Amino acid sequence: MPKATKKKKEKVADFSKAKLKLGKGKKLPANQIDTSFKARSIALPTQSITLEKDANAPTTRRKLTVTDLVIHLKHHNSNVKKDALLGLRELFEAHSELIKSSLALLIGACARLIADEDASVRRALLSFFTWLLPRTSAHDLSPYSSTLLLFTTSAQTHIFPEIQIDAIHFLDLYLDTFPDVAVCGWRDGKSGHGKRILEGYLSILNAGVKLGEGEDASLVFPASAASTSLSIASKLVVFRSISKFLRVALGSFTPGDDENITATSSNTTWCFFSAFPEPIAYETFDALFRPTINFPPESKPPIRRWKAEVDPEDDAEHFAFDCRSKKLESVDASYSLQDLYNVISSTTLNDLDSKLTSRQSDFEMRLARALHPVLLANFLDSAPSVFTPSSTPHQTELGIVLAVAGIYRNLYGALLPRANNNNNTTFLLDSLQVILERMAPYFPFLPSPLVRRDVQIEQALQDLNIAFCELTSLLILAYSTQHVAPSNSKKRDGMSIQKQVSQVQSYVARMLRGASISSHTVARRITAQDYMAVLPTIWMLLNSNLVHSGVDEDVDTLSALLDHALQVSSTATAKRATVDFLVRLILLETAPRYAGAFRLRTDAGSLRKFEQWVTNLPRTLWELGDTDTHCTEVILRFLLRLFQRRSPLAQTDIAAQLCARLIPYFTMTHPGRGTLPGPFTKLGDPALQRLALDAVVTIISCVSAEFRGPLDVAVRQAVEGSAHAAYWAEVTRNVVCST
């Protein structure tokens, strides 16, 4: 029976259909032929018997050439790529001449590693670029900068936040190496990668959606979900990079967008730009004091011969000119058709320039509207841990607060001086007032007396104090020039603008005088770096109509400024910046296009300090000698312009004191060694010596023969036997004839 059942089942099995089970595929027939195949490639990059290698080519210790190392950069293994980067540095350190010839091959291979998924490879590449790029000239890098920026901006929008942050590190390096190329086209995106970089910043911070408001819908920047997962340290990297980008893009250290002005203007005195109606007016005034001794020979201006009287066709900026002694010619009322056409064409071009400037300001305004909520939120998140009086401030949170203040200073410092009295101006003033009111309760920012001193934290807090002072003075100046009343509805914590002004004035005065800020801080002299950083604040306080002149002398900004100028020694590092600022401040009101509110004080105390500083300039010249020709030239140019432009300080008694004190600069009388040449003879540049003679002859033309004689004798002894002897004899003869 069992045997028959078995045979019966076998017969049924030959014709039965297999049942399909859930989750299992259909069984293949027994006679199914498998047609799948696998293929693998074998890479032999260094084992080709047909490749001829140059035996004299420089190699590393592992016998690898530049070509071999570049091939290794494309390897799938991370360790091989890191070793290739180390080998390239080893090879270039031993053979620096290979850098220029290898850039085309090197940049293309390295740029692909910017977004490498291995963090150690990105760190190695950043270290290699940090070493390589500063050793390569901007001219050699210019053909490849676009490639670097393209891959870096692509990494900014990567799906992994850590790759986005590492891309920011690369951008910081580019902003230090080729800043102009990095920010090019940041407004319109037509001539560079600047706008892509800005899009990447705002995408990481999720702050770009508001930029699409207005007519230009193309300014909508994509938001990034990665912004919600950024750590505090990553936010610090982004904020610092944005601050640096805006500082370069907006040219915070120099006025305007004119390339010529940016290239030539004095970096320490750019703040005077706001006192002139247009950039060319500021440029003309600043050029009066700008040193030319370090210019290349082809760029130096021509040397002019001094004259007691000026011809009408001469440039009045180089010689004294009394407009009251000249008669104005009648104006011809007839105009040709070509004259009218030229006027219309000029007006049209001016309108186009005005529209272009307006569009640029609109873009920056939308940028400010997008950044303000993010900056304010991050400041409020970080401030409590930074300003806790019982603990040391956290470095990361302190860095975020400082970077936020830097972004406000760079962006609003460029927008407010150009803003018109409209809704945009109201937003700028209100938003700036909001952030200042949040910062004011902690001002001045001081380290806790309960913790150990840290020099880095103290310097960071000092920088934050200076940033707060500059933002406050910027707000004051804007309210003065825009004729807008401060918004009472925005006051918080009882901190009014007047109280902020009082705090800033007191802090700046203490800073200039070297006094301690509080009872638990040590008094110290202001450094040259801090002095140059606080100059915009000083100027805005001096030029503001909201700052009353009848304040206590202990907190008077002008009085503190002059006290510091009188005390700083000629060998101090802050001396050059002090001279650059004061010479322009004294002669500002003599500029034809000057539109500021500052005027030289008429009270006896301020005038006495101004006169004392001017009459001490011969001593400064003598102490400088030939060690600082920049400062020497600025002082000589100032003395020349002071009496040419008939400044209120160009009095006869001041000229007499200058004549007596300038004698040792040309000739000294020693009790034992007799007559000795002064520092004038050590000036190596003949043009600088000619400038000194022009300044002296201008001064002696304002005094009588009693004061003129001794200085004339000293100068004749100093120039005797030189090419300047005949020139001095001629110009002094003209002075005698004119008097």
Side-chain angles (χ1 to χ4, degrees):
M1 189 71 181
K3 189 175 180 181
T5 305
K6 182 178 180 182
K7 289 183 178 180
K8 186 177 180 180
K9 288 182 178 180
E10 290 178 352
K11 290 181 180 179
V12 174
D14 292 338
F15 301 97
S16 63
K17 195 172 185 180
K19 294 182 179 180
L20 298 178
K21 293 185 177 181
L22 183 64
K24 294 186 177 181
K26 184 179 180 181
K27 291 184 178 181
L28 298 176
N31 60 350
Q32 176 74 23
I33 299 176
D34 186 9
T35 59
S36 63
F37 64 92
K38 295 181 180 180
R40 294 186 179 182
S41 61
I42 301 176
L44 301 174
T46 59
Q47 301 179 20
S48 176
I49 60 176
T50 61
L51 181 63
E52 296 182 2
K53 293 187 176 181
D54 186 4
N56 298 325
T59 60
T60 63
R61 289 175 296 180
R62 300 175 61 186
K63 306 301 180 183
L64 297 175
T65 63
V66 174
T67 305
D68 298 333
L69 293 171
V70 170
I71 293 176
H72 286 184
L73 291 177
K74 304 175 183 178
H75 201 274
H76 62 87
N77 191 293
S78 301
N79 293 327
V80 174
K81 290 184 280 191
K82 288 190 296 182
D83 291 340
L85 291 171
L86 295 176
L88 286 170
R89 178 167 179 175
E90 174 193 342
L91 190 59
F92 290 152
E93 283 180 343
H95 305 277
S96 58
E97 68 278 1
L98 294 177
I99 296 179
K100 184 176 181 180
S101 59
S102 305
L103 282 178
L105 185 64
L106 183 65
I107 296 299
C110 289
R112 290 174 172 82
L113 301 180
I114 295 176
D116 193 276
E117 294 186 0
D118 192 282
S120 61
V121 174
R122 298 195 301 272
R123 287 195 298 267
L125 179 64
L126 180 62
S127 176
F128 176 64
F129 273 179
T130 304
W131 175 87
L132 176 67
L133 296 186
R135 288 168 172 78
T136 309
S137 65
H139 180 267
D140 294 336
L141 280 175
S142 57
Y144 316 106
S145 59
S146 180
T147 301
L148 291 174
L149 290 171
L150 181 63
F151 279 91
T152 306
T153 53
S154 177
Q156 271 187 293
T157 57
H158 202 275
I159 59 175
F160 296 137
E162 56 271 16
I163 295 181
Q164 297 178 1
I165 300 304
D166 285 341
I168 301 298
H169 288 298
F170 284 100
L171 288 176
D172 289 339
L173 180 60
Y174 302 156
L175 290 171
D176 293 332
T177 308
F178 43 88
D180 295 337
V181 180
V183 302
C184 183
W186 73 283
R187 289 189 180 96
D188 53 13
K190 298 178 181 178
S191 57
H193 296 270
K195 186 178 178 182
R196 289 171 56 91
I197 295 174
L198 188 59
E199 290 176 355
Y201 285 137
L202 299 179
S203 174
I204 294 174
L205 294 175
N206 198 10
V209 293
K210 291 187 178 181
L211 283 181
E213 297 176 0
E215 298 178 358
D216 196 349
S218 65
L219 294 178
V220 179
F221 295 159
S224 173
S227 61
T228 59
S229 60
L230 286 181
S231 63
I232 297 178
S234 299
K235 290 181 180 180
L236 174 60
V237 173
V238 178
F239 284 132
R240 281 179 174 173
S241 187
I242 293 177
S243 179
K244 181 186 293 187
F245 181 88
L246 292 177
R247 184 172 68 247
V248 176
L250 295 170
S252 297
F253 293 115
T254 47
D257 297 326
D258 193 326
E259 295 180 357
N260 296 327
I261 294 178
T262 302
T264 58
S265 296
S266 304
N267 288 340
T268 58
T269 56
W270 64 267
C271 52
F272 290 124
F273 170 71
S274 61
F276 292 87
E278 54 189 14
I280 191 62
Y282 165 80
E283 171 67 10
T284 303
F285 173 75
D286 187 74
L288 299 176
F289 312 98
R290 192 179 307 134
T292 60
I293 188 172
N294 295 325
F295 283 10
E298 63 274 7
S299 301
K300 288 188 176 182
I303 299 177
R304 296 176 179 267
R305 181 175 293 272
W306 188 91
K307 299 178 182 179
E309 298 288 340
V310 180
D311 296 331
E313 62 270 12
D314 285 338
D315 186 3
E317 287 293 344
H318 296 274
F319 302 96
F321 180 74
D322 188 1
C323 62
R324 293 172 295 182
S325 63
K326 300 294 180 181
K327 294 183 179 179
L328 299 177
E329 298 180 358
S330 59
V331 179
D332 188 3
S334 61
Y335 296 96
S336 64
L337 183 61
Q338 183 63 34
D339 294 336
L340 295 176
Y341 176 78
N342 293 337
V343 171
I344 295 174
S345 300
S346 176
T347 304
T348 304
L349 292 176
N350 291 335
D351 292 341
L352 291 176
D353 292 340
S354 177
K355 291 180 180 179
L356 178 60
T357 303
S358 177
R359 291 196 62 184
Q360 294 175 351
S361 298
D362 290 342
F363 179 88
E364 296 162 11
M365 182 63 62
R366 290 195 291 273
L367 178 61
R369 289 180 180 272
L371 283 176
H372 172 64
V374 179
L375 298 177
L376 181 61
N378 281 272
F379 174 82
L380 295 177
D381 291 341
S382 303
S385 61
V386 172
F387 304 116
T388 301
S390 59
S391 62
T392 304
H394 298 284
Q395 293 279 4
T396 306
E397 284 83 353
L398 178 58
I400 288 179
V401 170
L402 188 58
V404 166
I407 294 174
Y408 274 111
R409 177 173 55 185
N410 296 330
L411 186 57
Y412 283 59
L415 281 172
L416 278 175
R418 294 180 296 171
N420 298 322
N421 196 353
N422 51 23
N423 293 333
N424 289 335
T425 305
T426 303
F427 165 77
L428 289 176
L429 296 177
D430 289 346
S431 58
L432 183 56
Q433 187 174 344
V434 167
I435 187 64
L436 287 175
E437 288 169 354
R438 296 299 185 182
M439 298 174 69
Y442 307 108
F443 182 80
F445 311 107
L446 300 173
S448 173
L450 305 178
V451 298
R452 181 182 299 177
R453 290 188 59 190
D454 189 326
V455 177
Q456 293 183 350
I457 291 179
E458 289 183 0
Q459 185 58 48
L461 292 174
Q462 176 82 334
D463 296 339
L464 187 59
N465 283 322
I466 294 175
F468 178 84
C469 292
E470 188 170 349
L471 289 175
T472 302
S473 56
L474 186 65
L475 182 66
I476 298 167
L477 185 61
Y479 279 131
S480 301
T481 56
Q482 300 293 334
H483 304 290
V484 179
S487 176
N488 293 327
S489 61
K490 296 292 183 179
K491 294 181 181 179
R492 295 177 175 88
D493 300 330
M495 301 299 296
S496 64
I497 294 181
Q498 288 74 16
K499 189 173 182 179
Q500 294 178 22
V501 171
S502 177
Q503 289 179 328
V504 169
Q505 280 186 301
S506 177
Y507 179 82
V508 171
R510 287 176 173 271
M511 193 175 173
L512 290 173
R513 291 192 170 97
S516 61
I517 306 302
S518 66
S519 58
H520 62 272
T521 57
V522 180
R524 62 173 184 174
R525 291 187 176 274
I526 185 173
T527 63
Q529 180 181 1
D530 292 341
Y531 182 83
M532 289 186 288
V534 82
L535 283 180
T537 301
I538 295 174
W539 164 243
M540 292 178 188
L541 289 174
L542 294 176
N543 193 47
S544 173
N545 291 328
L546 294 183
V547 181
H548 302 288
S549 58
V551 296
D552 187 4
E553 186 176 357
D554 292 336
V555 296
D556 185 7
T557 306
L558 181 60
S559 178
L561 176 68
L562 294 175
D563 289 340
H564 171 267
L566 292 172
Q567 295 173 4
V568 65
S569 64
S570 301
T571 57
T573 54
K575 186 64 176 181
R576 178 185 293 188
T578 303
V579 171
D580 285 341
F581 186 78
L582 274 184
V583 297
R584 290 166 173 81
L585 183 68
I586 292 173
L587 293 181
L588 259 180
E589 57 187 286
T590 65
R593 303 294 305 278
Y594 174 64
F598 174 78
R599 296 293 185 274
L600 289 180
R601 294 275 186 86
T602 56
D603 57 282
S606 298
L607 284 179
R608 183 172 62 254
K609 291 179 180 180
F610 274 121
E611 293 173 0
Q612 185 179 355
W613 185 80
V614 172
T615 54
N616 282 342
L617 289 179
R619 176 182 176 180
T620 302
L621 289 173
W622 191 91
E623 293 176 347
L624 290 175
D626 59 345
T627 59
D628 191 350
T629 53
H630 172 103
C631 193
T632 298
E633 184 175 356
V634 172
I635 292 174
L636 293 175
R637 286 178 174 271
F638 166 71
L639 293 175
L640 181 66
R641 307 300 181 189
L642 182 70
F643 291 92
Q644 282 181 346
R645 293 184 163 227
R646 299 296 187 261
S647 168
L649 295 178
Q651 304 295 331
T652 305
D653 56 339
I654 295 180
Q657 295 183 54
L658 290 174
C659 287
R661 299 186 180 190
L662 280 170
I663 293 176
Y665 186 66
F666 294 92
T667 306
M668 298 179 292
T669 303
H670 192 271
R673 301 172 61 182
T675 303
L676 299 175
F680 168 82
T681 58
K682 298 180 182 179
L683 299 177
D685 192 348
L688 190 57
Q689 291 181 326
R690 177 70 69 86
L691 177 61
L693 297 180
D694 290 343
V696 170
V697 74
T698 305
I699 294 173
I700 65 175
S701 64
C702 301
V703 298
S704 60
E706 176 185 358
F707 301 101
R708 183 191 313 153
L711 181 57
D712 185 17
V713 173
V715 175
R716 290 182 185 275
Q717 292 177 351
V719 300
E720 185 177 0
S722 66
H724 300 298
Y727 177 75
W728 178 254
E730 180 181 352
V731 295
T732 52
R733 189 183 311 113
N734 293 335
V735 170
V736 174
C737 294
S738 62
T739 55

